[in-house]
Amino acid sequence: MSDGTGKPRPEIRGDILFDHIRTLALIGADPLGGRTRLTLTEEDRKARDILVKWMKELDLDVRVDRFGNIFGILEGKDGGKDSLMIGSHIDTVIHAGPYDGCYGVLSGLAVARAFREAGCIPGRSLVVAAFTNEEGVRFQPDMLGSLAFVGGIPADEALSVKDDGGTTVGEALSRIGYNGNEEPGFLIPSEYLELHVEQGPRLDTEKIRIGVVEGVQGISWWRVSITGKANHAGTTPTNMRHDAGYAAASVSVFLRDLAVSTGTTLATIGTINFEPGAVNVIPSRAVFTVDLRDPDCTRLTEAEEKLAEFLQKTAGEEGVRISAEHLVRFDPVVFDRGLADEIEKVAAARGLSSMRMVSGAGHDAQMMARMCRAAMIFVPSVGGISHNPDEHTSEDDLAAGAEVLLDVVLKLLGD
Ligand code: HGY
Ligand code: MN
Ligand code: MN
């Protein structure tokens, strides 16, 4: 299809995009039909290597920074001074679906391919980015790569974050050969766009094709350690127990009640471990994580304060010691209004229904918003399922999202 000047208009090759998504989804595949590619592991390295190969096949200038963030640059007519970045991540949670993060990076690659195949040099440079440790499963905080890229955490602090086994981010980067040398800020785009599956139920339920994402809700992560007293499960009267397991369970019930009472706060205990971990021993220790989310800054702080009060009360009542380590606090973020308007316009021009929304999940875009104009595009997740091998989005919706992304890029980059 021509763009009216006789030159072919860049077009998304959906067949290649779907093939890339399938290929990446096989790396780290597990018997449960999911895949696990925790950041900076061998599986992550394999995915990174193939992404770099695909970038080089498109003759993109591939750069890697000190945090392992990967950038594929398609230089524009202006010689690369002022760029537009499309990014996301290719690391996953445990037993993940095939689209979370990968869809956004590979759609960025599809946009670069569209320019290449049309022989079109954009007015300004286009950058495709894959950020390190978006998920935050192995290292906290999440979105560590994009946070470090925008200077939100000192480089040395980011590189010295340790996983449960004591390996630092810096050591893990060297091990997989992605300890690049570009410094934070070596590239400062004017705009950042991220295409992502919604991971929630709204678009699918309301049968809307495109989500125009106006922001991201706030996130607060904690690691709570409860120390009680091991004792015999069969001989210790209830009123003599200092049961770390019971105390942990009561925090879980408290968090559910807190979430229900506010109607906006979400609370999750995603990991928990008891010691000594025997069927007939009252747990002496319980260590678990808490994930709190709320679109409103004040309510998120209130949730944190109520959790702290409940922990203190529980320690007194159960005669246990409780400590809470604050792992993450990212306030809610509002994206660029002009970019959101642009996304809504191009969706309408393609006859695609759209709705404005705030993201429940965290994304690299919320960090990039500290550096430049940023916005996100969502496509429906069937049943709202994500962080689960059953995560699914139809090829029609995957293609529609990538085409909306391309249209916004063409509007912004010109040619
Ligand atoms: O936790 C999140 O919201 C994202 O998946 N990292
Ligand atoms: Mn993601
Ligand atoms: Mn995720």
Side-chain angles (χ1 to χ4, degrees):
M1 195 165 90
S2 160
D3 62 359
T5 59
K7 281 191 301 185
R9 187 185 188 278
E11 292 204 334
I12 294 292
R13 290 284 307 275
D15 54 334
I16 298 176
L17 172 59
F18 304 151
D19 183 51
H20 280 177
I21 291 172
R22 278 191 294 270
T23 303
L24 223 44
L26 289 173
I27 301 176
D30 57 42
L32 298 171
R35 66 282 309 146
T36 303
R37 281 198 310 273
L38 298 190
T39 198
L40 307 185
T41 57
E42 253 316 281
E43 293 76 20
D44 185 31
R45 182 193 60 74
K46 287 182 193 139
R48 286 165 170 265
D49 289 352
I50 204 166
L51 175 65
V52 167
K53 175 173 165 286
W54 288 337
M55 286 179 167
K56 288 183 174 167
E57 283 170 0
L58 287 175
D59 200 19
L60 303 186
D61 172 14
V62 179
R63 309 282 190 84
V64 180
D65 74 5
R66 295 182 59 192
F67 316 103
N69 297 317
I70 300 169
F71 304 92
I73 304 167
L74 190 162
E75 193 158 303
K77 286 175 187 147
D78 74 342
K81 284 187 296 296
D82 181 13
S83 60
L84 183 159
M85 187 181 287
I86 300 173
S88 199
H89 61 97
I90 57 172
D91 65 310
T92 73
V93 294
I94 299 165
H95 299 326
Y99 304 109
D100 179 357
C102 301
Y103 169 51
V105 174
L106 297 175
S107 295
L109 213 55
V111 169
R113 173 183 301 286
F115 275 91
R116 282 291 191 237
E117 291 190 348
C120 173
I121 306 284
R124 294 186 289 126
S125 296
L126 174 72
V127 183
V128 181
F131 290 108
T132 297
N133 192 46
E134 189 279 343
E135 293 293 3
V137 172
R138 181 180 178 192
F139 298 103
Q140 292 83 34
D142 53 345
M143 283 89 73
L144 182 58
S146 49
L147 178 67
F149 177 72
V150 300
I153 179 173
D156 294 344
E157 187 182 329
L159 295 169
S160 57
V161 171
K162 286 187 176 167
D163 67 10
D164 289 346
T167 302
T168 66
V169 167
E171 288 159 352
L173 280 166
S174 307
R175 264 184 220 154
I176 65 166
Y178 277 88
N179 50 326
N181 44 33
E182 298 293 359
E183 290 295 335
F186 86 98
L187 186 67
I188 300 183
S190 299
E191 302 95 358
Y192 175 85
L193 294 170
E194 184 163 355
L195 175 60
H196 207 290
V197 291
E198 179 199 343
Q199 301 183 287
R202 292 191 60 198
L203 294 174
D204 186 44
T205 310
E206 302 186 37
K207 298 292 169 243
I208 300 278
R209 298 294 305 277
I210 297 290
V212 180
V213 188
E214 298 187 294
V216 180
Q217 70 175 340
I219 300 176
S220 173
W221 285 0
W222 298 78
R223 181 179 290 115
V224 179
S225 304
I226 300 180
T227 307
K229 190 172 179 327
N231 215 326
H232 196 298
T235 59
T236 313
T238 303
N239 63 358
M240 286 177 65
R241 294 182 176 217
H242 303 290
D243 183 342
Y246 171 77
S250 56
V251 175
S252 182
V253 173
F254 162 77
L255 287 170
R256 170 58 64 88
D257 293 346
L258 172 69
V260 170
S261 67
T262 63
T264 58
T265 303
L266 293 175
T268 309
I269 291 183
T271 68
I272 190 161
N273 184 53
F274 286 171
E275 291 174 14
V279 61
N280 54 1
V281 179
I282 299 169
S284 55
R285 193 157 159 72
V287 179
F288 56 92
T289 53
V290 176
D291 176 319
L292 296 170
R293 312 266 178 135
D294 197 293
D296 179 88
C297 216
T298 308
R299 281 201 304 267
L300 185 60
T301 304
E302 281 165 2
E304 290 176 331
E305 288 164 352
K306 286 181 182 153
L307 172 61
E309 281 161 26
F310 184 79
L311 292 178
Q312 202 169 10
K313 180 166 118 6
T314 303
E317 287 169 356
E318 298 304 320
V320 295
R321 278 199 330 277
I322 301 182
S323 62
E325 182 191 357
H326 201 176
L327 301 172
V328 169
R329 166 73 192 234
F330 294 132
D331 286 349
V333 167
V334 177
F335 288 141
D336 182 86
R337 178 158 209 85
L339 287 179
D341 293 347
E342 208 54 68
I343 294 165
E344 192 172 57
K345 257 188 257 160
V346 303
R350 280 191 175 267
L352 296 166
S353 56
S354 69
M355 65 187 264
R356 293 190 178 230
M357 56 202 298
V358 172
S359 175
H363 298 286
D364 292 307
Q366 71 190 85
M367 300 306 167
M368 289 305 294
R370 300 184 189 193
M371 179 182 258
C372 63
R373 298 171 66 209
M376 291 188 74
I377 304 164
F378 276 172
V379 292
S381 293
V382 175
I385 297 170
S386 185
H387 284 188
N388 179 317
D390 293 343
E391 179 186 79
H392 182 68
T393 296
S394 72
E395 287 190 348
D396 277 356
D397 285 343
L398 293 171
E403 282 154 2
V404 166
L405 176 69
L406 173 64
D407 289 355
V408 176
V409 169
L410 286 170
K411 280 267 182 88
L412 292 170
L413 285 192
D415 58 11

